[in-house]
Amino acid sequence: DGECRIENIPQISDVTLLLEGMADMNADIRTVNRTTMDINCRGLSYRDPGAAMGEIRASYYFIGALLGGFVMAKIQKQKFLPILDITMMGFLIGQGIGRWGNFMNQEAFGAPTDLPWRMLSENTIVNGAVTAVHPCFLYESLWCLLGFVILHFFGKYRQRYAGQIFYLYMAWYGFERMIVEGLRMDSLYLPFKVFDMDIRVSQALSALIMIIGITMLLVNIKKEDPFYADYRRKKSGGRHQSKGKRAH
């Protein structure tokens, strides 16, 4: 309740959109300087915050969830990597389903295409004209759901150490985003060229995530945690026993 002052506010579009949404809900927002604001939510009304909130990029929710998990792991004195392994499975399912929100809103689509699975609606506008475009939401949804299935069975039968699922997720998802972002029409670009080419910020970040994931997998290629080795032996022993009972 009451007024609070927030300092060191980054100058990014998502902050502007968030402030617009708060203003739509009757929050009193006063700018002190370029990076400082006073916000009073005493008169806040719980109504639709408007279209601005739907335009905030989901990547910030992703980062927030990771940071929140890290803090909770530290508070409860738990190992963070096993938590990440479990969390990544939830991310894949959530991203696979959540991307259909882009379809419902007819947003985040790709470049024009004449492929049989192209997407076309009154909102798929390119250069001022309604155009058939790549359904980027579908590519990412299918990739994430396939990744969930693959990593689920890998974790069940092949995982060797804590963090391996997380590193595989980084490589798997980073590769997909690096490719699909190249089809998007609404991306931000780096302020400089790389080999005389314009590179999207999200592509560069996705490539970095993929490289880190692959590097960590290679660094730990010989790592074997006794916990996971015992787990696999128990799973294998359970299958052999069930086969023996059926044979009798």
Side-chain angles (χ1 to χ4, degrees):
D1 294 333
E3 185 175 276
C4 68
R5 173 164 291 185
I6 303 178
E7 300 176 336
N8 298 319
I9 299 174
Q11 301 298 301
I12 56 176
S13 61
D14 294 275
V15 172
T16 302
L17 292 170
L18 181 60
L19 293 173
E20 288 179 9
M22 293 178 67
D24 288 340
M25 298 172 69
N26 292 333
D28 181 15
I29 302 171
R30 292 191 295 275
T31 301
V32 178
N33 57 48
R34 192 164 172 268
T35 61
T36 305
M37 290 185 178
D38 289 333
I39 300 177
N40 192 331
C41 294
R42 185 170 294 165
L44 200 67
S45 61
Y46 295 94
R47 63 183 186 185
D48 184 0
M53 300 305 291
E55 298 177 19
I56 295 179
R57 288 170 288 183
S59 56
Y60 290 95
Y61 309 147
F62 175 86
I63 295 172
L66 284 182
L67 291 175
F70 177 76
V71 171
M72 289 304 298
K74 288 296 183 181
I75 292 174
Q76 298 181 10
K77 298 181 179 180
Q78 296 179 349
K79 293 182 178 180
F80 188 46
L81 284 177
I83 294 176
L84 281 180
D85 286 338
I86 297 172
T87 304
M88 292 310 105
M89 302 303 296
F91 277 163
L92 285 170
I93 274 286
Q95 289 165 321
I97 297 173
R99 276 298 173 184
W100 283 86
N102 295 140
F103 171 72
M104 300 300 291
N105 295 330
Q106 293 292 288
E107 62 186 4
F109 48 80
T113 181
D114 58 358
L115 290 171
W117 52 83
R118 60 190 179 272
M119 181 169 111
L120 178 66
S121 78
E122 66 277 6
N123 290 333
T124 57
I125 300 174
V126 179
N127 296 326
V130 174
T131 308
V133 295
H134 280 285
C136 290
F137 81 92
L138 180 62
Y139 302 155
E140 182 157 347
S141 176
L142 294 176
W143 187 261
C144 287
L145 294 176
L146 176 62
F148 172 80
V149 173
I150 292 174
L151 293 189
H152 166 73
F153 285 104
F154 182 89
K156 193 172 183 179
Y157 299 112
R158 297 292 181 182
Q159 186 173 2
R160 299 173 59 194
Y161 58 87
Q164 192 173 19
I165 296 296
F166 175 56
Y167 302 144
L168 285 168
Y169 169 88
M170 293 176 71
W172 180 266
Y173 187 64
F175 174 77
E176 177 270 327
R177 283 303 294 269
M178 183 178 64
I179 301 301
V180 172
E181 285 294 332
L183 301 173
R184 292 274 293 269
M185 302 290 291
D186 58 349
S187 301
L188 298 174
Y189 286 84
L190 293 173
F192 53 86
K193 291 180 180 288
V194 179
F195 298 114
D196 203 33
M197 294 186 298
D198 291 319
I199 303 296
R200 294 168 171 83
V201 173
S202 50
Q203 274 188 305
L205 180 60
S206 298
L208 178 62
I209 290 172
M210 179 187 70
I211 291 170
I212 292 174
I214 293 173
T215 300
M216 294 305 296
L217 289 170
L218 292 175
V219 167
N220 294 288
I221 194 168
K222 294 184 178 181
K223 187 175 181 178
E224 179 88 41
D225 189 319
F227 170 82
Y228 294 95
D230 291 342
Y231 175 78
R232 288 200 307 275
R233 279 195 293 269
K234 290 178 181 178
K235 293 290 291 185
S236 177
R239 289 200 303 273
H240 291 322
Q241 288 179 3
S242 62
K243 286 181 181 178
K245 290 180 181 179
R246 285 199 296 269
H248 289 300

